[in-house]
Amino acid sequence: MFNKKLVIAGLIIFVGIITFPFWFNQAKVIAPPEVKLTERAKEAKECVLPDKLKMRGEHMQLLDVWRGTVVREGNRKYVGTNGKEYEMSLSNTCLDCHSNKADFCDKCHEYASVDPYCWDCHIDNPKETK
Amino acid sequence: MKRNRREFLKLAGITAASASVIGVTSGLTIAEASGSGAAKPDTTILAKNKKALTAKRWGMVIDTRKLQTASDIEPLIAACHKIHNVPEMTNKNHEIKWVWEEEFKHVFAEQEHELVNERLRHLPFLVLCNHCKNPPCVKACPTQATFQTKEGIVMMDFHRCIGCRFCMAACPYGSRSFNFKDPRPFIKETNKEFPTRMKGVVEKCNFCAERLAVGKQPACVEASEGAIVFGDLDDSQSEVRKVLNDNYTIRRKPALGTGASIYYIV
């Protein structure tokens, strides 16, 4: 092999850089965020999808279906698997109950490193001042 | 190894048969998997509100005899712009408008002449999106962000708008505005029930689709105190049709064949 020393040194540096996140964070355990519910949300007991985990994992698909059907089909009413009726609206239904964006939406989104652009247009309720 | 023709054909046949069997079964499993996709919740209902106003084709008649001065028109514009969070831009080039006021020579440019009636010459006309039957903006939109609903409303799906402004070039009425800046700082009083827009999207009148959905008339109609009649153009018994039948009305740029749904009694 030509340039044996250079190649091996280079490989070691490369592997070191590529595995940086693993050995850098090795000691730390980042706890998943604890989401705070508002009093109203606690009282309601169940959300639009009765399964809490489903809500956590699939709310984005639900919202996607909602926005499509509200804007394009003009449907505004949603009857869930629990038989309850909801108005399909992010600002007026979801964020009316979950009115603590910073403690509810943002915490998880930050942890999962996702940056949804819902709030570029939809108004969080009550409106937050940045 | 040497093969004769018979052996070769046999082998080819078996290979083709087994390949098709595998193809069909794996195709089925794919179809099953996508059918039970996790995205759609099961046994849920998506429907219109019971109170919702419906029509085959919404339209509007504006009686200019009842809207004589700018002060008659201003409250209509204010009512619309307030509930839809339309910003008041300081720079005229960045102006956003859903309904606004215009002169005869601009509204009915083809009908304008030097001896036009003195009243019409100075009359302020209320103009808005014409919700065309044959909307050029819908054809121009590359993402189908602008579309026509089953009820004849030319709507915008702001989620899909990429801000290419083809619709603005296509619209012969100038009914569309572009957000050159983030509009939020320019909204005086925010209506929390309606979203704002963001920088880089086009916006326009939506015939108050969100109000029709809860059984209310459009905001400008409500504020006009009878000067604007709103209803179903395809229903011969509706009030708009009655008003259209009783009065002579004109539309904007009829020669273009857009089929505007806003009629003016002049």
Side-chain angles (χ1 to χ4, degrees):
Chain A
M1 199 155 93
F2 296 111
N3 298 330
K4 205 174 192 172
K5 276 179 198 163
L6 274 176
V7 169
I8 288 172
L11 272 175
I12 289 168
I13 291 168
F14 174 74
V15 169
I17 290 171
I18 227 70
T19 56
F20 173 79
F22 297 100
W23 54 259
F24 187 76
N25 285 323
Q26 195 196 14
K28 276 185 255 167
V29 177
I30 298 168
E34 243 178 75
V35 166
K36 274 188 206 154
L37 285 174
T38 57
E39 288 302 317
R40 260 187 79 192
K42 269 184 208 160
E43 250 169 59
K45 293 226 166 72
E46 57 178 20
C47 201
V48 175
L49 300 177
D51 183 356
K52 191 172 141 192
L53 290 175
K54 239 186 168 180
M55 200 67 223
R56 195 176 295 166
E58 293 171 17
H59 64 280
M60 43 304 234
Q61 283 91 344
L62 180 87
L63 286 171
D64 189 46
V65 171
W66 278 22
R67 83 168 174 193
T69 190
V70 168
V71 180
R72 305 190 83 88
E73 316 289 334
N75 296 325
R76 308 254 164 178
K77 197 179 77 182
Y78 174 89
V79 184
T81 45
N82 55 3
K84 279 188 192 163
E85 225 183 274
Y86 298 93
E87 196 212 333
M88 288 185 274
S89 170
L90 176 65
S91 293
N92 303 334
T93 305
C94 307
L95 299 176
D96 190 33
C97 208
H98 299 289
S99 52
N100 52 342
K101 177 176 172 269
D103 280 338
F104 187 76
C105 312
D106 292 351
K107 269 196 176 169
C108 251
H109 289 158
E110 261 162 42
Y111 179 70
S113 185
V114 287
D115 191 11
Y117 46 81
C118 309
W119 294 282
D120 284 356
C121 297
H122 290 274
I123 299 161
D124 43 324
N125 208 354
K127 196 167 166 53
E128 250 170 55
T129 42
K130 268 185 190 174
Chain B
M1 191 172 109
K2 210 179 175 190
R3 279 207 186 95
N4 57 25
R5 183 186 290 182
R6 180 182 285 260
E7 274 170 349
F8 172 76
L9 284 175
K10 260 189 206 163
L11 197 69
I14 290 164
T15 315
S18 56
S20 66
V21 167
I22 291 165
V24 166
T25 48
S26 62
L28 276 179
T29 51
I30 289 165
E32 272 164 24
S34 64
S36 64
K40 276 186 191 156
D42 12 59
T43 65
T44 54
I45 305 163
L46 307 170
K48 278 192 194 307
N49 287 328
K50 278 194 193 107
K51 286 186 289 180
L53 302 179
T54 53
K56 284 215 176 103
R57 190 159 81 88
W58 287 117
M60 193 181 258
V61 179
I62 300 176
D63 192 343
T64 59
R65 295 169 305 188
K66 290 178 185 163
L67 299 169
Q68 295 281 356
T69 58
S71 60
D72 290 340
I73 282 180
E74 262 157 32
L76 279 59
I77 300 170
C80 167
H81 285 190
K82 194 182 161 200
I83 66 159
H84 293 122
N85 294 328
V86 177
E88 256 181 61
M89 293 307 204
T90 39
N91 184 342
K92 190 85 175 156
N93 294 336
H94 299 164
E95 194 181 30
I96 310 268
K97 48 196 189 192
W98 284 32
V99 268
W100 68 105
E101 186 196 306
E102 201 68 85
E103 287 176 77
F104 184 84
K105 64 178 176 190
H106 294 139
V107 181
F108 299 105
E110 316 84 329
Q111 276 108 316
E112 210 265 337
H113 54 83
E114 74 271 26
L115 299 175
V116 81
N117 175 306
E118 204 47 36
R119 183 185 75 93
L120 288 181
R121 193 193 296 277
H122 302 295
L123 194 66
F125 284 85
L126 186 76
V127 285
L128 62 152
C129 169
N130 278 282
H131 296 278
C132 305
K133 196 175 187 179
N134 182 20
C137 54
V138 171
K139 283 186 195 159
C141 180
T143 61
Q144 290 175 18
T146 288
F147 63 100
Q148 198 173 27
T149 68
K150 285 179 198 128
E151 305 192 346
I153 299 177
V154 178
M155 278 269 283
M156 286 229 30
D157 184 345
F158 299 113
H159 306 108
R160 283 203 193 185
C161 181
I162 54 168
C164 71
R165 298 193 277 154
F166 287 5
C167 56
M168 293 178 74
C171 178
Y173 305 107
S175 299
R176 295 170 160 272
S177 310
F178 184 69
N179 285 284
F180 285 96
K181 278 179 144 182
D182 178 18
R184 279 201 171 170
F186 299 93
I187 302 168
K188 274 187 189 155
E189 216 180 306
T190 324
N191 172 19
K192 284 184 183 171
E193 287 175 17
F194 199 80
T196 67
R197 266 68 58 193
M198 62 182 287
K199 182 183 169 182
V201 299
V202 171
E203 64 179 271
K204 69 168 202 76
C205 157
N206 65 350
F207 246 14
C208 283
E210 85 286 357
R211 285 171 66 89
L212 296 174
V214 292
K216 287 186 195 162
Q217 293 261 312
C220 58
V221 179
E222 208 177 80
S224 74
E225 291 165 359
I228 304 176
V229 180
F230 182 80
D232 190 351
L233 294 175
D234 276 5
D235 175 8
S236 57
Q237 303 303 312
S238 68
E239 204 197 339
V240 246
R241 284 290 291 273
K242 202 177 153 277
V243 174
L244 284 169
N245 198 32
D246 293 346
N247 298 280
Y248 176 70
T249 50
I250 53 172
R251 289 192 287 182
R252 295 183 67 191
K253 303 189 181 178
L256 295 177
T258 53
S261 301
I262 313 287
Y263 294 80
Y264 292 87
I265 302 173
V266 288

